[in-house]
Amino acid sequence: MSKSKLKTPRFRQANPRDRDALEQMIIAYYIFDNQTVEKSKIKSSLDIALKENPHVMIWIIEVDNEIAGYFALAIGFTIEAGGKDGFLDELFLKEKYRDKGIGRAAVKFALDICPTMGIRRLSLEVETHNLRAKRLYQDIGFFTHDRILTVSYTHLTLPTKA
């Protein structure tokens, strides 16, 4: 952590009024992380996540009553872990809030709320080029698993609405 003073973050579940701020931050995150920005996917994801949903929660990170960032927590199931598992899908902080311990506090908050939700394991992914995030996650206790994460989009196209 740099010499910047730790600001005490506050965490609250996102609601539909946060939609515009979330869209802006998600786009900024994707640009920062060298990902393709597909506004239609952002829209459909927020349509799902901002309703009461037992499978996903987006948390707003606030510092001094300003939105500093967000993280998304997806809830799944795995026999290996003995039940529910969580996936810290995205964690983003606006630039002026980085290097102040807020990201660390957000990950610790996510870890702390998991048992209250019956989540037995929390996973996350990080881009190989994001060395700062990799160090943070390793310092907190996350480790690289020997398995390889594989993804398929091509076979999972949703039917179009008539």
Side-chain angles (χ1 to χ4, degrees), residues 56 98 133 137 146:
V56 63
R98 296 178 193 155
Y137 299 143
D146 292 337

Side-chain angles (χ1 to χ4, degrees), residues 156-162:
L156 301 175
T157 303
L158 296 175
T160 57
K161 293 179 182 177

